[in-house]
Amino acid sequence: MYIHPNRVKRKTDTTFVKQSAIVSFILVVAMVFVNLGAVAYIMLAKGDEYRQKAASNQLYDVSIEGIRGTIYDSNMTPLATSTTAWILCVNPKAIKNKFEDNSFLNKENRYDIFINDISKRFAKILGMKKSEIKAMLLQSELSYKRIKKEVSPTQKIALDAIINKPYGFPYTYVDNGLFKDKTEERTYDISISSLFTYESDSIREYSQSNFASTVIGVINAENKGETGIERHYNNVLEGTAGRIVTAKDSRGRILESSYETVFDAGEGNGIVLTIDSNIQSYLENALNRAHASIKSDGVYGIVMDVKTGAVLAVSDKPDFDLNNPRELVSKAAKEELKKYKVGSDEYKQAFSNKLYEQWSSFCITENYEPGSTFKIFTAAAAIEEGVANLKTTHNCLSYVKVADITYNCANHKSHGLQTLTQGLMNSCNTFFITIGQRLGLEKYNKYFEAFGFTEKTGIDINNEAFPVYHNPARMSKVDLASTSFGQTIRISPLQLITAACSIANGGKLMQPYLVDKVVDSDGNIISQTEPTVKRRVISERTAQSVISMMEAVVEKGTGKNAYIPGYRVCGKTATAEKLDDNTDDAIYIASFLCFAPADDPQVAILVGVDNAPGPYRGGGVLAAPIAKEVLESTLKYMGVEPHYTQSELAEVSRTTPSLIGKNVSDAKIAAANEGLVTRVSGKGKKVVSQVPAGGESIPEGGVVVIYTEEASDTLEVTVPDFTGRTASEVNRLAVNSGLNVVFSGPTGSAGVRAYSQDIRKGTTVEAGSKVTVYFRTDNIAVD
């Protein structure tokens, strides 16, 4: 059968078309499923990611830091506050677009000129390097960049003067005239206010700079606590973050404020410390004077309420300025850094280590051998266990042998036969070694643990030191001998004073604390710290026995430089060798621990002097006078009434009579009747003012300056150098200089001389002013 070729061809074409259609249909269906799968994958697997990318391209969303809460002293005096500040931000991408889209601006390097000029002007205002700012402005791929945090109100005013003013580019305008071209100097102005924005911020300010710096602590660049109270209570102080959300256009430019939503940042809660600014000032002033005069490596001190465990003051010298915490203060630290190349990794690490040393409180974060102050705990344990009492005697031959080790008293001095009280007065090592051996290892360790020396105190601050002590299971009699008088163990000053307060308060170990309460921004109390008794360590009877022994130390023993007329002071001196791997020379920490008044102790003080140069001197000479100065001011501030003995009353200062309104002649007679000398300024007949004022205390033979109605100029005198003189010499010099002296220290004892004064020599003051002169005796055995 014949089939026409065209017919065959048509049949073949039809088959091909059908097959092609089927294939195309299959491909289309496959592509549909592929696309559906891709859409499903994007929606289900990558949905969140792409939604975030879309939102980031359409929205400007930035966090606002919370406002940090205030730190107060116990009297609600602000010590650390956060003041209003700003963060300067820039849109580098918008700057680039502004210049690229404008035919005038995209010529003649005007973009570079603008960047350089703005960088230079901002750098001058913000105290930054021009290169830093320029690098940020040139990051044109970014729509948002923070230039500077903590922009102060003054800085913001200066910045606004630039940002809110039209920025002009000078150019020469040419008018092509028919016969002659005319030129004119013009300025092409652009608005730059939309290129820069501000976010709310705060500046942490410390009103008293160095005040309690090692306790308050510092914050880091992220506004978070790095040390001290700032760190430990960071979650309390830290405010809640806010947000700014607004729209951006397709080119990344932030739209007008009508598109903006602001979620305000919240203020953190406030912290009320147990530290009293007045007591802290007494401590800091005394330590500063001592550090300057003794020239030791450092001095430290703690003041504690014996009944509650509240820390009333704590200080370490040298300290640092909280408003400039990253500047090294120690000359020794600066010298040590010279060993490294500036900018090297070694230098950076060493610098960081020195900063943290500077920021640390020796009182809390460091350990040391307590030395003879520890003898009060050995005595307490022995009395409580009945192995010794106040009548117990010991014949000191200047040495004692335990196993094969010979222990000596300081300076190898023999104290002879003495009672337990006399043993503490003389700080006799052999007496307390003997008592420790009688007590035995098991009972000794029982009280060592009970007084809190095997654990941290748990005070509410970071990095508290952990004690170093002998393992009871491996402890020998030789170890017991050493620890009985405060050697071969290491505890922190905080642990020592906390344990001492358990003796002062009748036997209860208190939990020490630095924060009294947490308050909100309106001052409402959120939480309050209640004094906590951790445990009873000794009986009230035993505590009273140790108190009486410590009182004798100040009355007649190594602590006589802490004597205060009218107050019964209890104390114990110590001079402990400090282990230092960097030197073979003997280094000592001289310390003094005290509390008062003996009949009802209120406050305890521990003062230490680290590595004082010069002749070997103990805690009774170096530390006791400092503690006495702080204790006397604190007791008077707390309203603790002095109770004078008959002999003390005879030496009490006179009360200045009120002379205002009297005739000059009558005023002189009234002053003379009180044993006072007068100086007259002016030629009037009546007294219109006087220095000191009526009712103030000045020494017998002191000076009262009276001003008459014709007086015009204030009488001024120069403060002399009182140091190195006896009390009578000081008084005579003061009267001759027209000044009054407040005597502080054991002025009536042999060998007593002035060692410091509260107003520097050469200072000009008003005649009749009072100068406090501090006395001590160096005739004290080293313990």
Side-chain angles (χ1 to χ4, degrees):
M1 180 178 171
Y2 175 75
I3 299 175
H4 193 279
N6 288 338
R7 189 176 176 185
V8 173
K9 183 179 180 181
R10 284 196 299 271
K11 185 176 180 181
T12 303
D13 289 345
T14 301
T15 303
F16 177 75
V17 169
K18 287 181 179 180
Q19 291 174 342
S20 297
I22 292 170
V23 170
S24 297
F25 176 76
I26 293 171
L27 289 173
V28 169
V29 170
M31 289 176 65
V32 167
F33 278 103
V34 168
N35 287 333
L36 287 173
V39 170
Y41 172 75
I42 290 172
M43 292 179 64
L44 299 176
K46 293 285 188 176
D48 289 341
E49 178 183 341
Y50 285 111
R51 275 192 294 272
Q52 289 174 6
K53 287 183 177 180
S56 67
N57 289 329
Q58 299 169 19
L59 295 176
Y60 164 85
D61 185 352
V62 65
S63 175
I64 307 171
E65 289 183 353
I67 301 169
R68 203 165 178 82
T70 300
I71 298 176
Y72 303 90
D73 86 328
S74 61
N75 301 311
M76 294 302 292
T77 301
L79 301 176
T81 56
S82 292
T83 57
T84 301
W86 293 266
I87 302 172
L88 175 63
C89 307
V90 64
N91 186 336
K93 187 175 185 179
I95 296 176
K96 188 71 172 176
N97 291 341
K98 193 175 191 74
F99 279 78
E100 286 183 346
D101 293 350
N102 187 294
S103 59
F104 175 84
L105 296 176
N106 65 12
K107 297 176 182 177
E108 300 180 13
N109 297 320
R110 290 190 174 105
Y111 173 70
D112 295 331
I113 291 170
F114 174 79
I115 295 294
N116 277 314
D117 182 47
I118 289 295
S119 299
K120 180 180 178 181
R121 293 164 73 181
F122 279 15
K124 186 176 181 180
I125 295 169
L126 299 172
M128 297 174 64
K129 292 181 180 179
K130 173 187 171 183
S131 58
E132 289 181 83
I133 298 177
K134 182 178 178 179
M136 288 185 271
L137 299 184
L138 288 173
Q139 292 180 285
S140 56
E141 73 280 6
L142 301 178
S143 298
Y144 168 79
K145 182 70 178 178
R146 287 181 169 181
I147 297 176
K148 179 71 165 64
K149 295 179 65 177
E150 296 186 351
V151 174
S152 70
T154 303
Q155 290 174 322
K156 185 175 184 295
I157 291 171
L159 290 169
D160 285 345
I162 299 171
I163 294 171
N164 296 329
K165 181 181 178 181
Y167 188 92
F169 286 94
Y171 70 98
T172 303
Y173 172 75
V174 180
D175 184 7
N176 298 316
L178 183 61
F179 300 103
K180 186 178 180 180
D181 291 344
K182 294 181 180 180
T183 61
E184 180 183 348
E185 297 302 318
R186 293 185 179 183
T187 301
Y188 186 91
D189 291 334
I190 62 170
S191 173
I192 63 171
S193 59
S194 63
L195 306 177
F196 300 94
T197 56
Y198 293 104
E199 296 168 9
S200 62
D201 194 17
S202 61
I203 297 175
R204 197 64 164 169
E205 292 183 338
Y206 302 91
S207 59
Q208 301 186 54
S209 300
N210 295 53
F211 195 79
S213 56
T214 56
V215 172
I216 293 174
V218 301
I219 61 171
N220 58 25
E222 285 70 45
N223 206 29
K224 295 183 182 294
E226 193 163 357
T227 65
I229 292 294
E230 291 277 27
R231 176 183 173 186
H232 192 84
Y233 284 92
N234 185 68
N235 292 339
V236 174
L237 291 163
E238 200 172 35
T240 55
R243 294 173 67 198
I244 298 175
V245 181
T246 191
K248 295 188 292 187
D249 65 13
S250 60
R251 306 200 67 173
R253 293 172 295 199
I254 297 171
L255 299 179
E256 62 187 47
S257 59
S258 59
Y259 292 91
E260 183 177 270
T261 302
V262 178
F263 301 91
D264 292 330
E267 184 175 351
N269 292 320
I271 294 289
V272 181
L273 301 177
T274 56
I275 287 176
D276 186 307
S277 288
N278 294 292
I279 300 174
Q280 182 75 23
S281 294
Y282 302 148
L283 178 63
E284 297 213 4
N285 291 339
L287 294 181
N288 279 328
R289 279 193 292 272
H291 192 225
S293 62
I294 299 173
K295 302 189 186 320
S296 61
D297 287 355
V299 289
Y300 63 82
I302 313 178
V303 183
M304 184 175 285
D305 185 323
V306 303
K307 296 183 178 180
T308 66
V311 177
L312 306 179
V314 58
S315 182
D316 309 80
K317 303 294 178 182
D319 52 13
F320 62 95
D321 184 351
L322 285 165
N323 294 307
N324 191 18
R326 285 167 174 79
E327 179 182 343
L328 278 180
V329 175
S330 169
K331 291 180 181 179
K334 293 177 182 178
E335 282 297 318
E336 193 170 335
L337 286 176
K338 290 181 180 179
K339 296 188 300 186
Y340 308 100
K341 182 180 178 181
V342 176
S344 66
D345 290 341
E346 293 84 358
Y347 178 90
K348 291 177 182 177
Q349 185 60 55
F351 183 82
S352 176
N353 292 341
K354 291 300 177 185
L355 272 186
Y356 274 94
E357 286 179 18
Q358 176 173 284
W359 294 342
S360 299
S361 170
F362 182 90
C363 295
I364 299 170
T365 65
E366 299 294 330
N367 281 333
Y368 77 119
E369 287 193 352
S372 292
T373 49
F374 196 82
K375 291 172 182 173
I376 64 174
F377 306 111
T378 302
I383 294 172
E384 184 75 6
E385 286 296 324
V387 302
N389 56 51
L390 298 184
K391 295 180 180 179
T392 299
T393 60
H394 167 75
N395 187 24
C396 171
L397 302 176
S398 83
Y399 70 93
V400 66
K401 249 188 170 183
V402 176
D404 295 329
I405 305 298
T406 300
Y407 292 91
N408 298 292
C409 276
N411 298 328
H412 298 263
K413 180 179 178 180
S414 172
H415 295 111
L417 186 66
Q418 52 192 342
T419 64
L420 184 58
T421 298
Q422 291 170 329
L424 194 68
M425 287 167 51
N426 297 325
S427 201
C428 178
N429 292 342
T430 64
F431 203 151
F432 286 90
I433 290 172
T434 302
I435 288 176
Q437 296 298 309
R438 290 183 192 173
L439 196 58
L441 289 167
E442 183 179 347
K443 290 179 180 177
Y444 173 85
N445 284 312
K446 168 187 170 183
Y447 288 94
F448 189 86
E449 181 177 355
F451 276 116
F453 297 129
T454 61
E455 60 186 359
K456 296 180 181 182
T457 67
I459 194 170
D460 47 342
I461 197 168
N462 291 77
N463 299 328
E464 182 185 359
F466 195 87
V468 178
Y469 56 95
H470 299 285
N471 185 334
R474 297 194 297 269
M475 191 173 177
S476 68
K477 288 186 176 182
V478 171
D479 296 330
L480 175 58
S482 299
T483 58
S484 296
F485 65 105
Q487 292 189 354
T488 69
I489 55 170
R490 296 173 66 84
I491 59 176
S492 69
L494 174 68
Q495 284 180 303
L496 183 68
I497 194 171
T498 302
C501 285
S502 71
I503 294 174
N505 67 28
K508 296 173 291 185
L509 184 69
M510 304 302 297
Q511 169 69 54
Y513 59 102
L514 280 161
V515 171
D516 178 45
K517 55 195 168 192
V518 176
V519 296
D520 64 19
S521 57
D522 295 321
N524 300 309
I525 297 175
I526 296 175
S527 64
Q528 178 99 37
T529 304
E530 295 296 333
T532 302
V533 179
K534 298 177 80 171
R535 56 185 165 268
R536 174 167 286 281
V537 184
I538 54 175
S539 66
E540 289 188 20
R541 185 174 180 178
T542 296
Q544 192 54 53
S545 294
V546 180
I547 287 171
S548 69
M549 293 166 61
M550 293 177 70
E551 186 178 5
V553 171
V554 176
E555 286 182 348
K556 304 172 185 177
T558 57
K560 63 182 70 172
N561 276 328
Y563 162 76
I564 305 172
Y567 294 105
R568 294 168 57 191
V569 180
C570 306
K572 184 66 193 79
T573 56
T575 310
E577 189 168 358
K578 180 181 176 183
L579 303 178
D580 191 332
D581 296 333
N582 298 318
T583 180
D584 294 328
D585 297 331
I587 297 176
Y588 297 92
I589 293 182
S591 62
F592 184 71
L593 170 69
C594 62
F595 50 79
D599 54 339
D600 183 20
Q602 301 291 316
V603 62
I605 297 176
L606 174 63
V607 167
V609 179
D610 185 4
N611 192 26
Y616 178 59
R617 292 172 292 175
V621 174
L622 294 175
I626 305 169
K628 175 262 172 194
E629 184 181 336
V630 180
L631 182 60
E632 183 174 18
S633 298
T634 301
L635 291 172
K636 290 178 179 178
Y637 168 71
M638 294 174 69
V640 179
E641 289 289 334
H643 298 285
Y644 298 102
T645 63
Q646 288 300 317
S647 60
E648 288 172 339
L649 279 172
E651 298 180 5
V652 171
S653 299
R654 301 292 185 259
T655 300
T656 307
S658 179
L659 306 176
I660 296 174
K662 294 181 181 291
N663 291 326
V664 172
S665 58
D666 292 338
K668 288 182 176 181
I669 293 171
N673 289 338
E674 296 295 331
L676 304 174
V677 176
T678 53
R679 286 193 179 188
V680 182
S681 176
K683 297 180 180 180
K685 294 181 179 180
K686 286 193 174 183
V687 179
V688 295
S689 63
Q690 67 181 84
V691 178
E696 290 194 29
S697 295
I698 58 176
E700 184 177 4
V703 179
V704 182
V705 178
I706 55 178
Y707 294 90
T708 70
E709 51 199 7
E710 294 183 9
S712 55
D713 297 326
T714 298
L715 285 179
E716 293 183 337
V717 297
T718 301
V719 177
D721 185 0
F722 291 112
T723 59
R725 304 174 189 272
T726 65
S728 59
E729 290 171 342
V730 166
N731 193 45
R732 186 161 54 250
L733 179 58
V735 173
N736 292 338
S737 302
L739 293 167
N740 292 298
V741 175
V742 177
F743 294 90
S744 180
T747 57
S749 304
V752 171
R753 292 188 176 272
Y755 72 92
S756 182
Q757 57 194 74
D758 67 341
I759 302 179
R760 291 183 179 181
K761 66 177 181 180
T763 304
T764 300
V765 298
E766 187 175 0
S769 296
K770 292 193 287 187
V771 180
T772 301
V773 180
Y774 303 96
F775 293 82
R776 74 179 181 208
T777 176
D778 288 354
N779 188 25
I780 293 178
V782 175
D783 48 1

